[in-house]
Amino acid sequence: MASMGYFNVDNGFLEAVVRGFRSGILSASDYANLQQCDTVDDMKLQLQGTDYGNFLQGEPSPLSTNTLALKCTEKLVAEFEHLRVQAVEPLATFMDYVTYGYMIDNLMLIITGALHDRDTNELMAKCHPLGLFEGLSAASIPNTAKDLYEMVLVETPIGPYFTDVLSLWKQPQVGERQPGVEDLDELNIEIIRNSLYKAYLEDFYEFVTTKCGMETAEVMGGILSLEADRRSINITVNSFETELSKDDKCKLYPSIGQLHPEGTARLALCADVDAVRAALDPYQDYRNVLAESGVGEEKSVENAFFELEVQLNKDAFEQQFHFGLFWAYVKLREQEVRNIVWIAECISQDQRSQITQYVNIF
Amino acid sequence: MGTIFRSEKMQLVQMIVQNDAAHAVVEAFGEEGIIEFRDLNHGQPFHKRAFTDEVKRCEDVQRKLAALKHALEADGVAIAEAAKESMSAAELAGVLAEKEEELNHMQMQELMLKKNHNALLEQRHVLELGAGIYAAQAPGSSMSAGGAELEITDFASSTATSMLSYIAGVMPRLSMASFQRVIFRATRGNAAVYSKAIDETLHSYDLKSGETEAVEKDFFMIFVAGDVLKSKISKIATYFDGTLYAYPDMAADKAAMKREVLKRLGESSEILRTTAQMKTAMLTDVGAHFASWNFTICKDKMIYDTFNKFDYDVRRKVFVADAWVPESKVYDVYKTLSAATAKAGVETRPVLNLIETKATPPTHLPVDKMVYGFQALVNTYGTPRYREVNAGAFAVILFPFLFGIMFGDLGHGTLLMLFGLSMIRNEASFEGKKLDDLVEMCYGGRYVIFLNGCFGMYVGLIYNEAFACPMSIWGSGYDRDKETIIHPPIFGVEPAWHHATNKISFFNSFKMKISIIVGVLQMTFGIFLSLLNHLEYRNYKKVVFQFLPELGFFGSIFGYLIFLIFYKWSVPWVELGKPAPSLLTTLINMFMSPGAVALPENAELLLFQGQADVEAVLILVALVCVPLLLFPIPFLESCEHEAALKKKLAYKALEGGSAHEEAAVHEEGEHEFSFGDAFVHQAIHTIEFVLGSISNTASYLRLWALSLAHSQLSELFWEKLLVEGALEPKGSSAANMIGCWVAVIMWIVISFMVLMVMENLSSFLHALRLQWVEFQGKFYSGDGIRFVAFDFKTIGEESSE
């Protein structure tokens, strides 16, 4: 109760701002208008009538989908920075936590790129601007996980999560160090990604449940649980044809979420999509996620999760006095950018039949 | 009063012109600026319209122009005044594309050169700063001294290279610390990093985006063992935005390199200078034409935007345009139209139809610069309805008068008038410039300020006050020694009142009554203006059942009050030997106990003979007027509506319409009529008027209150600061003299801040309220749509907004 009384002292203004931003999120009628456009330039005109305003002014025609995506994301980042610089503790830390996820993604992008000998500067341009950190570009140099940690990550906020990653390899082989095991190959990168995420989600969960008050814990708990469950399911589905053992999988499943521990234990045993479906059957929320899609239709599984996520994030706006709004806002805007880009791609590639497959928000 | 009294009569015209002449015709109308085109494609989204592509092309050219303007501003090249240039928009687009290309090319080249120059500068710093560090680090060098140093260094480095290699370079200062940490971790501490700040501000260039950024940079030199580590460190350095530079081992090489670098630096700055000159020359050329180019493009865009409003069909070979034109200009429109089509070389004569329509025409009120400020005050409340009496016309005098009553002081009024006058005199220096908000507001209302000042002076003369000082210009008509009146005051208030002991109560009574008189007169005037509106709209039922009852009600109560005020003034109560009855009591008794004044015990309250009878009649009139105002109009409207509906249905029946046509008839009607709505509307109006007439009259008392506050405040400052602080003799010590100065300055500053700024603003605000609510509420609907002429002259204004 105390948090309700004092919430507005520190965070009332930012909550108001974020709610104002929220009303700028494109509505169903905006999307309907966007779909009517014949070219991406028409979309620009259409978007001028929304909160996006003149963000594309000064861009020469014809407009590419990439510029559109870039500019939309820039706007999101500008808004996020605007909120972040005014935030006070613990909201400031909370918002930092929001960026850690992007940092992990960026890091993985760089490492994977380096593995395939891509140009690092090119990769840097593709990184999400929310997840940039000092030394990120240097992440392409090290060849082993340990080097990566010691050279680049030890100072960064996601450094502590990496210790968990390192322990993955250390425990099975006490003492002797086998050459090659820690090398950054494709499988290891996936393992690193997933265990980083696991550590991140668990840490974030810990943070929201202990330091941000009851309301935040309630809202963010739900959101993070979904995030964790999504990762568990993805890990399972993606690991069918790999040499990942059951124990290894168990180590990658986040220890939060609805599926933990019982569901994850079942998931670990699955060897094909049908088994996963069976394992998820007791969970009402996820029952339909896989049921609709055939095997291999990645896109719709993803979309189904996006829809669940959007729903949760929308619900976050129904409550007050919590930080979940800030997370929800970023995620909804991100979804909106994905939608805009999807529509733009469909228009520019003349795939109008697919155009409706975006996730409606409001 | 001409056109300012009512908006101009408008005519809807339809033009049918061959497509080939379209551009010429619209351009001609844009030059004339007399018509407003109607949007015939209402509701159609912008990108579905016929000329979207052309508009977008214009926008693209505008973007190029903006880029050029940016370059002009960055280079500090002035933009010349617009000159007439006969270049069509299409040609211009080509020229601009060329210019943009040229500029981009030049900028790119300049950037490359600058980058090169910067690299040379950095190399020079590396050579200079490196010498110190290298010498200090090489073994043995610290022992040597003077000229021997070089040799030993060379010797040391040649042996050291076998095991120790080094890297030298330049890096932004911000990344330096984390770079060093990463190096330390990457080499596990097996590297010696030395860095030194570079004093000169260097730049970093982004060739892709063309951005230049001034950065403070550090020089660094790293010594490591082994080539593997060296290549690793070089990689890391590049990731931290560092640039590596060569640093030769041998002293001789170094000296040679330094000479080379210096030579090339000289060359490069020479090239940079010539490039900059070329660029400036090109930009000056652009700057000379920029304004006219901008005008041409804006014009073209306006033309295509207008095309989008037309009913334009490529297959039909003609376009149809609807436009509003002031009736007096219809012939001009026809002339322009034929001239433009003739000029375009089209054989078919254009067609101009005058269309009868039920649509509400826009309100066209051409104002001159004097009325502009007042009209703006009125338009803030609402643009006048088409052909309605324009409240702005009366605001020109009534508003300053109300202001003057509150701001009545000759001194303050003169200051304000002079302020307004100075702005009017210096119009030339203000006009056409971008002013900041406050100045622009004052400038826009310069005539308002001027007239406010004039009326402040006028009322100040009546009050006989200047800076709270009593004045006696025409001499007093009162002999203070004999305490007798010699003659009535010649102009304004008798100056002797200012020295009387009951000064305040006299001025209170006087100003209060004046306020009521002014208020009731102004509101009565407003009611009469509503009569003009009813007559203009031929709404005779409103003349009988709205204007007359309103006048009756208002006149019988407040007109009677005015009569009482003058009557009370005119009777010499002292000579009659009886106390003057209170008007407030009289008015209350008139309603609470009608006829009671006639009773003998109330003889003291009686003002004149037959008062009871007169009051009884007046009450009766007022009471009758209320239901007269409330009931007839809704019933009459309902009857009219029924009749019209029957008529329409009869026509439909003649044409053989079926039952469902009735719905169509309803749709055709401008809006659905509902008796309930009409009645509620009229009831609200009645209640508002009846209650409002009392509260509005009371509201005019603010004239008294503000006038009182103004004179009391200025008197306070005068007495307490100037008279007591400075003017009263207190000896001639130095402290007193300084005190005098302080008091005078304080009086000036406080008078200015409180009276000239705060009091001025509050008087303005209250006058505005009286104008808007009390006066305009009586007759003004203010729901018109402003006439916006299609005029190329608006181009500059638009871009500045």
Side-chain angles (χ1 to χ4, degrees), chain B residues 13-77:
Chain B
V13 298
Q14 185 188 45
M15 289 178 240
I16 302 173
V17 186
Q18 214 170 327
N19 281 352
D20 299 341
H23 199 277
V25 167
V26 174
E27 191 173 351
F29 281 126
E31 303 284 352
E32 296 270 322
I34 49 170
I35 65 176
E36 178 184 342
F37 288 105
R38 282 217 313 171
D39 192 353
L40 293 179
N41 304 320
H42 190 74
Q44 212 173 56
F46 176 71
H47 64 267
K48 294 279 178 202
R49 298 192 175 195
F51 289 89
T52 311
D53 286 345
E54 279 79 0
V55 173
K56 271 198 268 183
R57 212 174 54 215
C58 288
E59 271 171 2
D60 197 48
V61 180
Q62 272 178 332
R63 187 187 55 75
K64 282 180 189 150
L65 271 173
L68 279 177
K69 191 174 181 191
H70 187 73
L72 284 175
E73 274 163 4
D75 236 42
V77 178

Side-chain angles (χ1 to χ4, degrees), chain B residues 369-370 374 424 427 443-452:
Chain B
K369 57 186 175 182
M370 179 166 170
F374 295 100
I424 296 172
E427 254 167 29
Y443 177 68
R446 59 197 181 280
Y447 284 97
V448 180
I449 293 173
F450 172 70
L451 279 179
N452 281 351

